[in-house]
Amino acid sequence: MMNFDGLDAGMGEYPPSLHGTLEAGMEPSMDPHLNPNLLQGVELDPEGLAVTVPEPVHLMEGMFSELHSVVSEVGIPVTATHFDLQEEMLWMGNHRGHVTSFFGPTMGRHSSFQAHAADDIRHIQSLETGVLFLSKSNLKCHTRGGLVMFDYPMEDGADMHSLLMTDNNTLLMGGLQNYAVEVDLNTVQETQKITLRDLRTFKTEHEFDAFSGSLSDFDVHGNLLAACGFSSRGLNGLACDRFLMVYDLRMMRAVTPLQVHVDPLFLRFIPTYTSRLAIISQTGQCQFCEPTGLANVADIFHVNTVGQLLMSFDVSSSKQALAFGDSGGCVHLWSDAPEVSFNDYSRETEFALPCLVDTLPQLDWNHDLLPISLIPMPLTSTEPLLSDWPSALATPSPSHSVELIRFSFSALMVPYKIKDVELDYDNYNQVPESPIGRDEEPHLYMVPKKYRKVTIKYSKLGLEDFDFKHYNRTLFAGLEPHIPNAYCNCMIQASNFLRAFRTIPEASALGLILADSDEQTGKARLGRLIQSWNRFILTQLHQETQEQEGPQAYRGASSSSLGSSGESAIGKLFGCEVENSSLCRCGKETVRSSLTLLFTMHYSEQSSQEKTKEYDFAEILKKSICLEQSTQAWCENCEKYQPTVQTRNIRCLPDVLVINCEVNSAKEAEFWKVQAEYAFNKAKKKEAMEPPKPKEPPPMPTEWCLDGEEAASMEGFTFDTQAEDLRHVWIPLTLKMSISKSQGLEVSSWPEGEELSAAEEADGASLYDLVVTVPHVLDARTGGNLVAHIKVGETYHQRKEGVTHQQWYLFNDFLIEPIDKAEAAQFDVSWKVPAILYYAKRNYHTKYDLRIKNPIDASVLLTEASLARKQRKSHATFIPLMVTEMPQAGDLVGLDAEFVTLNQEEAELRSDGTKSTIKPSQMSVARITCVRGQGPNEGVPFIDDYISTQEQVVDYLTQYSGIKPGDLDAKISSKHLTTLKSTYLKLRFLIDTGVRFVGHGLQKDFRVINLLVLKDQVIDTVYLFHLPRKRMISLRFLAWYFLDLNIQGETHDSIEDARTALQLYRKFLELSRGGGTDEVRKVLKGLYEKGRQLDWKVPDSDTGDGQGAAVFPSVMGL
């Protein structure tokens, strides 16, 4: 409960002059006494004022610094602040009853509404379903979007100041009266009035005589209670007491008072490593101290309120963020880390849908197929138009009866299927279409087909019969888009990666792990998301490889938060040592060195009325790398916060230059568009002054060309404009960069095919070639998607095709095709927005050892401990390989895998009765078994690993997998439990060794396991015993027919299945040696005939009906 007695006299009541002459609810006027410095970098708009605070270069861990400041209403004091306990939001309420919420550390405005008509907001409390706002005599609950959930008025004379949630549905309200009110939130009714006494004895439980004046604030943590307040100074009134009273609640007595160096108005425990206290003064000073220790003057920092007084204060539940509200209407957010999270676990925030206003499409007059009917014509007269048909003629009666039509359809007997309403975005077409569509709105065809979001059409067989080659005629592996967080596909294959990715708390805190609904509905802002992911993954990989390669160097004291570039492979490739200098106006300069792995583009600030100037990309890139900005920072010489100029310079050039483009708003997109137009016009003028040159012929046909497709285009030369290829191109394909002691960093564009002179190389200049671009494709119909343009070097084409050249490719999930180099640099920001650029130093790979190394040795197949606590050696189901049994190239290994379901299949039933799979079930490998394929121990398993999983299993598929609940839990499992990584290493070693795997349905198994195995190393019995255009036969039926074995009775056993597949392969070899291909075909025909007779069901008898055993003797002894 807060008492404002003793505060600055000007803060007791708020005179009308503070708010101008406007009435409540209207836009406030500027306070004439307001310091004009508060409005530096602020634009007035109807939705409020945002103070632009430059992003700090570095925040020291544990040291709080200002992240952002926002002005809600100028001159209206902020009387309450509150961090939302469920979402990443900060709430504020002001003296006029208006509340505003801000999202995340950037404090983007989320919602703003009037909670109370006139009274000030005194307390804010967030609930699961809404937010409570307390005023003097009223309690309101609103949704986070502003809708009223309930309004609870109190009795006359009430003067409430604070509320407390006692449980999820009950709260207490108290203030300047001798009772507290208990309210049931389920019924929104007062349950009882509670006097400030013990309900059992009606006596005061305990009281502390804290201050002679009044109490200002108190907080409780553990067994300690700390309070601050005012002391009486006789005729001089009340004054802030600089002694904090600390009480031990176990003994109900005071401990030694704590003297502080500021005038305390607020205090709050911020327990992190210790139980430290934050003490806040009315003028903005903040001091940290231990409740049982001495305060240190060095632990004081100052909130820059520009002369205003602090009125409210709150701490986030994660203890990482502080919020201050001042009398000028400004909210200040402070944090001790650059990537701050308000809560440890926040749910997803819902944002308002954008207002979709129909606009007229842009018409291209130069297009030959433009329909003139698209031009809107105004009505110039009131006469009826020729197309205004009478209603009688517009809806004529049918001339044929319904029965006749029915008879006609039944007589024709033509099978048909109702045409899907949704558009088929998956049609592959290399010929660009006209942007003017016949059936759809013109602007929907702005996105070429190959850039649209691709989806898989699932059938009864799932992915088995989907023609991926229709979309990908290269030798690259396409990526499936149905897995969670598939937005990572443009940078990395996400299926196995996500298992580790989801366990990293920083990834969740940064919002990098999306819910399925966000990806499907297109709510995620993919452009920002992939740039945050790019920064995160480089930093995470750098730190993890540091710990592996040099843990002592990583943990030692260093001036850089990321260490030096020599400690990890990521640091060597992407790291760039930078020098950050802070110059105070007193002349004190502080210089720090650090390592950065990427750079963010910063564009020139210009007013909306001013015409955008022409800039070269290299010029903007240089300013972004050598960034100079002004900000408030602590000066040790001045011992206070002073305006400082922060400058960043680089000491060395990275081998790979990574750039986040930061085109996240219409302002940056317009800047990019204007610069591309400048560059295009300059190229046209240059071309007009030069004679036309013959266009270069296309490269020789490669593995992605259709046979005969290139014949027509290879003959002769064609004259075409070279400048047209540069439309929407601003970035150069090659950059020249150098660092000199006299001029610092120099960046310039460079012709792509030219090399540096010997003198330039001697001066330290380097050429950087564009190798990767990641654009964000904007598509209103599908919600947008991310694609990648990658320049594949000569090594790949030499190894795969026998030709030496470089080629750009488009990677759009499983759609992969070659593109022209100009297309990789083209960004029409109306639908294709740049997100990430990678420039690589030319010939940088010559200083690295690029030979393929195999760190996996045979030791991975030897005995290893199980993760299961209850597993005993007597329960072992396999015998590990001995050193003398290590597999060699060409050896046989029987393999079988079992799977569990993590997510169920999502399907819909269409109007014609057919089922359409929207999203297939997500499977995870649960058990992998390998058996010996030769030698004295043939058929004995040497791997039988159960894969431990941290993810929730929705179906163990026990009937088909043999996996039971608890088998994958390390606490209760009796199986040999391992990690997925351990089993992957074993399989990878076997694959690299060159063994041949024998199994039934291995193609699907390897697909779910996500391992690529060469066809020569796979012997799949499902294809050995199969005739063209016939059904696939189950392992159980084959075992009964050929081996007289009755397997897979109640459940499946992977050891039994792997051993049976091995025996079937031996039987196939026996048939092939006995009669050749004709004999095998004859046997397979008999197999299919027998299957049709039995409806492919194995007879119930244990030994079969004898026919299989009579024709094919048992091979149990194999």
Side-chain angles (χ1 to χ4, degrees), residues 728-739:
H728 305 301
V729 175
W730 183 42
I731 62 173
L733 294 175
T734 304
L735 288 170
K736 175 190 171 185
M737 300 181 67
S738 62
I739 299 178

Side-chain angles (χ1 to χ4, degrees), residues 58 538-540 542-543 546 553-554 558-565 567-568 571 593-598:
H58 280 286
L538 287 176
T539 304
Q540 190 73 20
H542 173 69
Q543 292 178 351
Q546 271 184 326
Y554 171 67
S558 174
S559 60
S560 169
S561 61
L562 292 175
S564 65
S565 61
E567 296 172 3
S568 77
S593 296
S594 62
L595 182 78
T596 185
L597 301 174
L598 57 80

Side-chain angles (χ1 to χ4, degrees), residues 565-566 568-576 652-656 766 768 840-851 853:
S565 61
S568 77
I570 298 297
K572 293 177 182 177
L573 278 172
F574 303 95
C576 178
C652 61
L653 295 175
D655 288 339
V656 180
S766 299
Y768 284 80
K841 186 182 293 186
R842 187 171 295 180
N843 300 325
Y844 76 97
H845 55 273
T846 55
K847 68 177 184 179
Y848 293 96
D849 184 6
L850 299 181
R851 291 175 297 176
K853 300 178 181 179

Side-chain angles (χ1 to χ4, degrees), residues 1091-1115:
R1092 282 191 293 270
Q1093 294 176 7
L1094 298 176
D1095 197 19
W1096 300 103
K1097 294 180 180 178
V1098 175
D1100 294 334
S1101 61
D1102 294 338
T1103 59
D1105 62 357
Q1107 183 164 351
V1111 179
F1112 305 105
S1114 174
V1115 286

Side-chain angles (χ1 to χ4, degrees), residues 37 87-88 90 118 129 138 171 222-223 240 327 340 381 454 638 641 650 874 887 996 1073 1117:
N37 293 330
E87 302 181 9
E88 292 291 308
L90 172 62
T129 57
N138 190 276
L171 64 85
N223 299 315
C240 281
S327 59
V340 61
S381 64
V454 291
C638 303
Y641 280 84
I650 64 174
S874 59
R996 293 188 296 162
R1073 286 193 297 265

Side-chain angles (χ1 to χ4, degrees), residues 579-753:
E579 184 181 85
N580 301 291
S581 64
S582 298
L583 179 62
C584 179
R585 60 184 180 183
C586 68
K588 172 72 174 180
E589 184 176 9
T590 304
V591 179
R592 292 178 300 161
S593 296
S594 62
L595 182 78
T596 185
L597 301 174
L598 57 80
F599 295 96
T600 300
M601 294 291 287
H602 291 264
Y603 304 100
S604 300
E605 294 287 340
Q606 293 186 350
S607 61
S608 56
Q609 295 84 7
E610 184 181 356
K611 183 181 178 181
T612 305
K613 298 179 181 178
E614 181 179 357
Y615 292 96
D616 187 65
F617 177 82
E619 181 182 356
I620 297 295
L621 178 61
K622 178 183 176 181
K623 291 182 179 179
S624 302
I625 295 176
C626 301
L627 189 63
E628 181 175 327
Q629 55 185 1
S630 299
T631 184
Q632 292 277 345
W634 178 262
C635 178
E636 296 180 356
N637 189 30
C638 303
E639 295 186 349
K640 62 179 179 179
Y641 280 84
Q642 293 278 35
T644 60
V645 177
Q646 296 186 349
T647 307
R648 179 175 67 191
N649 292 301
I650 64 174
R651 295 179 176 177
C652 61
L653 295 175
D655 288 339
V656 180
L657 177 65
V658 185
I659 303 170
N660 276 358
C661 295
E662 288 293 328
V663 186
N664 298 324
S665 67
K667 189 174 182 180
E668 286 100 4
E670 181 64 24
F671 179 87
W672 196 283
K673 177 182 177 182
V674 171
Q675 299 306 322
E677 290 177 353
Y678 279 132
F680 177 63
N681 293 331
K682 184 184 293 184
K684 286 180 64 177
K685 293 179 180 178
K686 182 179 180 181
E687 186 185 48
M689 300 174 62
E690 297 178 355
K693 297 180 180 179
K695 191 176 182 181
E696 295 181 2
M700 294 299 294
T702 58
E703 37 91 3
W704 47 267
C705 294
L706 285 175
D707 294 338
E709 216 175 48
E710 70 282 355
S713 60
M714 291 291 292
E715 298 178 0
F717 293 93
T718 56
F719 287 89
D720 195 4
T721 170
Q722 301 279 339
E724 284 298 323
D725 294 338
L726 299 178
R727 187 182 293 272
H728 305 301
V729 175
W730 183 42
I731 62 173
L733 294 175
T734 304
L735 288 170
K736 175 190 171 185
M737 300 181 67
S738 62
I739 299 178
S740 62
K741 294 183 179 180
S742 58
Q743 299 180 354
L745 176 66
E746 295 182 359
V747 185
S748 61
S749 301
W750 188 263
E752 183 188 12

Side-chain angles (χ1 to χ4, degrees), residues 923-1030:
M923 311 290 287
S924 177
V925 61
R927 182 184 182 186
I928 291 180
T929 301
C930 293
V931 301
R932 295 168 172 87
Q934 56 274 314
N937 295 325
E938 179 179 342
V940 177
F942 64 91
I943 294 176
D944 188 25
D945 289 349
Y946 285 75
I947 312 300
S948 175
T949 178
Q950 303 298 324
E951 300 173 280
Q952 183 178 2
V953 178
V954 299
D955 191 350
Y956 284 90
L957 304 173
T958 305
Q959 180 182 355
Y960 306 103
S961 67
I963 307 295
K964 298 177 182 179
D967 286 350
L968 307 181
D969 190 343
K971 297 179 181 178
I972 60 177
S973 177
S974 61
K975 310 297 183 182
H976 182 76
L977 209 60
T978 65
T979 62
L980 181 66
K981 179 180 179 180
S982 174
T983 307
Y984 258 83
L985 289 174
K986 299 174 186 177
L987 292 178
R988 190 74 257 171
F989 175 77
L990 292 175
I991 294 170
D992 295 342
T993 302
V995 303
R996 293 188 296 162
F997 294 97
V998 181
H1000 194 80
L1002 288 182
Q1003 180 181 0
K1004 184 177 181 180
D1005 289 354
F1006 283 130
R1007 183 183 189 88
V1008 179
I1009 298 173
N1010 200 23
L1011 277 175
L1012 181 62
V1013 186
L1014 298 177
K1015 292 182 179 180
D1016 297 339
Q1017 292 182 248
V1018 177
I1019 302 173
D1020 200 336
T1021 54
V1022 78
Y1023 294 108
L1024 292 181
F1025 299 94
H1026 174 253
L1027 289 176
R1029 297 182 295 278
K1030 300 289 185 180

